[in-house]
Amino acid sequence: MDLSDPLAFRTSFRHWLVDHGPTLPRADNGADFGQRLRSIGHLQARLYEAGWARYGWPEHLGGLGGTAIHRAVFYDELSRAGFPTRSAFEHIEILAPAMAAHWDPQRFGERLTRLLQGRELWCQGFSEPDAGSDLATLTTTATRDGDGYRMSGTKCWTSWAAFADRCAVLARTGSTEDRHRGLTAFFVDLRSDGVSVRPIRQANGTDELAEVSFDGVWVSDADRIGDEGTGWAFALDVLSCERAAFAWLRQTRLLALADRLAMNTTPETGSVMGDVVLDLFALRATAAMAVRELASGRFVGPAAAPAKSLLTSAEQNLYDAAQLMLGSDLALGTDIDNADAWQEDYLFSRAVSIYGGTRQIQYMTIARFLLGLPHE
């Protein structure tokens, strides 16, 4: 069968999951956060060994061909088969497409292979204690030192940093007056001398976030992503993926959860559940357009804002509905399947309107760049 056709790929992968699903690693909801991530890494390794995780990437990067549509189908079928959220491997969609567009193919291909094999985890070091929504004001510096740079500064709210091997870091190589024109992107080994990572315990009990400090960390020219001073263009493409391609990845999981939640629907809550389903299909349709653009080699830019806005509403509304429909079971973790996981995810859903650009930033982007409304 020709797996270059996404439909044939979907059919073959679905059949493979039916045959091999019982033997594949599945994260235990009762396990600690680190154990769950390791289980997902083992699953990634199995999917790579079988070839499935290599589709959607060109052969010169170590893939087996196909486009972002193949990856979208891949995530769809995993969620449909009951596998958990991709969690730390979400950077396959957030970071990797932008790195492929901006970095040396040979260097990037080596790193991508390790990620697809489940041998490495990546994270994204953009936000700082005093530079979140306005990244052009960041103060982490990278100063030229021989055939590399010395990096100093602090990144905050860095997802997966406590578990990651490498971090895509946006640093200032120019002056503060240069703002976005003085930024450069690097791929930093978090095991380097001078790197310290402090996990941040979230309200839902997980250590997904962390603060990462760089104290004179040496980074070679080979680990600079693109030319010096081009970090802003890289960052914009990463943010496009974080808001649009990631929305597709996330909605596959949310639809699977909505199916489970729908089994608890009553006549009194039917309209609430109906609104959730409509939200999710609006999100799916919008995210699908972004996936098609990415498959054609284009990043959607400001047009990613609607997908991120719809993801915010859909995810928060889903968990609000869960709280309404499951009541004390969700809060106390009793009587329903995986109630602790529902509670953990409910608390995480409160942050959806912040990460990847706040709800307000998305609305401003839509108004200014998509609707052409006047602004000051």
Side-chain angles (χ1 to χ4, degrees):
M1 185 178 293
D2 180 11
L3 297 187
S4 64
D5 175 12
L7 181 58
F9 176 80
R10 181 186 292 276
T11 301
S12 295
F13 186 41
R14 181 178 295 181
H15 290 162
W16 186 87
L17 284 173
V18 170
D19 292 338
H20 296 84
T23 68
L24 296 176
R26 291 179 183 261
D28 180 2
N29 286 309
D32 68 40
F33 197 54
Q35 288 176 312
R36 279 184 270 166
L37 289 182
R38 286 190 290 274
S39 176
I40 294 169
H42 296 324
L43 172 62
Q44 180 70 25
R46 288 283 302 277
L47 294 170
Y48 181 89
E49 291 166 3
W52 301 110
R54 297 176 64 189
Y55 280 96
W57 297 101
E59 293 182 7
H60 74 272
L61 294 179
L64 292 176
T67 69
I69 294 175
H70 284 75
R71 304 198 305 270
V73 168
F74 176 71
Y75 305 135
D76 228 12
E77 291 302 315
L78 284 173
S79 291
R80 181 181 178 275
F83 287 91
T85 180
R86 301 284 293 167
S87 60
F89 286 95
E90 67 192 20
H91 282 298
I92 293 174
E93 293 307 319
I94 295 175
L95 285 175
M99 293 170 80
H102 290 265
W103 204 6
D104 172 69
Q106 181 176 355
R107 185 68 169 162
F108 173 64
E110 295 170 356
R111 293 300 173 195
L112 177 65
T113 295
R114 295 179 68 85
L115 178 64
L116 295 180
Q117 289 173 333
R119 297 170 60 193
E120 280 191 357
L121 288 178
W122 298 353
C123 62
Q124 169 192 336
F126 284 12
S127 295
E128 298 182 359
D130 296 315
S133 295
D134 187 5
L135 285 177
T137 63
L138 64 82
T139 58
T140 294
T141 59
T143 305
R144 172 60 75 176
D145 181 9
D147 57 352
Y149 299 78
R150 290 287 175 185
M151 181 178 293
S152 295
T154 299
K155 298 295 182 178
C156 200
W157 316 119
T158 307
S159 295
W160 316 116
F163 307 92
D165 301 281
R166 293 185 174 270
C167 184
V169 180
L170 200 61
R172 185 167 299 284
T173 50
S175 68
T176 55
E177 290 75 19
D178 290 334
R179 286 182 59 81
H180 65 277
R181 289 179 294 275
L183 301 179
T184 302
F186 300 89
F187 202 41
V188 182
D189 186 341
L190 293 180
R191 297 159 297 188
S192 302
D193 292 340
V195 176
S196 60
V197 179
R198 184 180 66 83
I200 300 173
R201 179 58 59 95
Q202 297 176 207
N204 66 356
T206 67
D207 294 332
E208 177 183 332
L209 300 176
E211 181 179 87
V212 185
S213 296
F214 305 93
D215 184 9
V217 177
W218 193 80
V219 185
S220 71
D221 278 339
D223 285 329
R224 187 187 66 224
I225 301 172
D227 295 330
E228 189 172 303
T230 62
W232 187 249
F234 169 74
L236 290 179
D237 288 344
V238 170
L239 291 174
S240 174
C241 290
E242 187 174 14
R243 295 167 182 174
F246 173 75
W248 175 272
L249 172 62
R250 188 65 181 156
Q251 63 83 30
T252 63
R253 172 65 173 164
L254 297 177
L255 275 174
L257 291 172
D259 280 344
R260 290 172 52 195
L261 184 61
M263 293 186 292
N264 295 274
T265 303
T266 66
E268 293 75 23
T269 59
S271 62
V272 172
M273 194 66 225
D275 288 342
V276 167
V277 172
L278 287 175
D279 286 344
L280 287 172
F281 275 97
L283 169 61
R284 185 177 176 87
T286 303
M289 291 189 289
V291 169
R292 287 194 289 269
E293 287 292 293
L294 197 58
S296 299
R298 297 184 293 271
F299 295 90
V300 296
K308 178 59 167 64
S309 298
L310 287 168
L311 173 60
T312 297
S313 298
E315 184 157 352
Q316 292 186 344
N317 290 345
L318 169 64
Y319 286 102
D320 286 344
Q323 188 177 56
L324 172 67
M325 296 165 65
L326 304 177
S328 60
D329 287 337
L330 177 59
L332 300 177
T334 59
D335 298 335
I336 64 168
D337 183 39
N338 297 328
D340 288 344
W342 278 97
Q343 174 67 359
E344 179 183 307
D345 289 347
Y346 170 82
L347 292 171
F348 178 81
S349 72
R350 304 302 94 183
V352 180
S353 53
I354 300 174
Y355 71 71
T358 66
R359 190 198 308 262
Q360 291 78 12
I361 290 293
Q362 305 313 311
Y363 289 167
M364 289 172 59
T365 299
I366 293 169
R368 179 178 178 182
F369 294 102
L370 302 185
L371 300 180
L373 299 180
H375 62 281
E376 296 183 358

